[in-house]
Amino acid sequence: MTKILKLSFILLVALSMTLMSCSNGSEKAKQKETTAASVEKSEVQKITLEEFTTDVWDFKNSPESFVLKNDLPVVVDFYADWCRPCKITSPILDELAKEYEGKVQFYKVNTDEQRELASVFGIRSIPSFLWAPKEGKPQMTSGIAQTEEATKEMFRKQIDQLLLKNTK
């Protein structure tokens, strides 16, 4: 079972790397536009490694199996302030956090600030998303659709299929 879970996770990470991603090129310095004020306005809770291990998954004490520590299914957005696609997804996730309030918990992890956590999930492209249902295996995806509306619908579909399919 553990080998299957590890293999599934590796395959999901590999698949996520092939999807649309944001480059970590020279734009990094040019695009640091997100301010502390915009982070504070967010409906999605920004978390650290420590908060992740208490609110989502304590991978340090339970590395062999994913055990969700939250009462709700979880979406974790792995992002960076300089990433243009990440900036597109941020307000969409804020809207969805309001829409799914009490049904799904939304978090975001800044990969530049939380490198150890990004490493645990093998984040190589951003935005990347962890979809963790109350029961069952978590899944990783990366990239966004071509338009904001398509991205919002893509997220709704993921939430409904991966996180809420057994709760409706």
Side-chain angles (χ1 to χ4, degrees):
M1 178 73 174
T2 301
K3 288 183 181 181
I4 292 172
L5 183 62
K6 285 180 181 177
L7 180 59
S8 297
F9 181 74
I10 290 169
L11 290 173
L12 286 171
V13 170
L15 177 62
S16 71
M17 285 189 227
T18 63
L19 297 174
M20 187 187 259
S21 67
C22 183
S23 162
N24 187 1
S26 63
E27 289 184 339
K28 184 175 182 177
K30 290 188 259 177
Q31 296 181 353
K32 284 213 173 212
E33 299 166 5
T34 302
T35 63
S38 66
V39 170
E40 288 175 13
K41 287 192 248 177
S42 178
E43 296 294 325
V44 179
Q45 183 181 343
K46 183 177 176 181
I47 60 173
T48 64
L49 171 69
E50 293 76 23
E51 292 164 324
F52 186 93
T53 58
T54 59
D55 296 346
V56 182
W57 173 38
D58 186 359
F59 59 87
K60 292 180 179 183
N61 291 319
S62 180
E64 298 298 318
S65 62
F66 187 96
V67 178
L68 184 63
K69 298 185 67 88
N70 203 295
D71 292 335
L72 298 173
V74 170
V75 176
V76 180
D77 172 18
F78 291 89
Y79 78 101
D81 290 337
W82 50 264
C83 170
R84 190 172 307 266
C86 299
K87 290 179 184 183
I88 292 169
T89 62
S90 183
I92 294 169
L93 290 173
D94 285 338
E95 289 178 34
L96 293 172
K98 290 177 188 173
E99 185 178 323
Y100 288 94
E101 186 175 357
K103 296 179 184 175
V104 176
Q105 178 66 50
F106 289 79
Y107 295 110
K108 59 184 175 183
V109 172
N110 185 319
T111 57
D112 288 334
E113 296 171 0
Q114 304 298 322
R115 293 183 187 274
E116 181 180 351
L117 189 51
S119 175
V120 166
F121 286 92
I123 304 298
R124 299 282 184 254
S125 62
I126 51 174
S128 288
F129 307 94
L130 171 66
W131 309 89
K134 284 280 299 156
E135 296 179 15
K137 296 178 186 175
Q139 294 187 28
M140 292 290 300
T141 61
S142 69
I144 60 172
Q146 296 299 316
T147 66
E148 288 182 37
E149 193 56 39
T151 297
K152 187 184 283 187
E153 287 309 311
M154 177 186 78
F155 286 146
R156 279 193 185 112
K157 183 178 178 182
Q158 293 286 77
I159 291 166
D160 292 340
Q161 289 181 351
L162 298 176
L163 304 180
L164 300 177
K165 67 180 174 189
N166 294 326
T167 62
K168 290 189 174 185

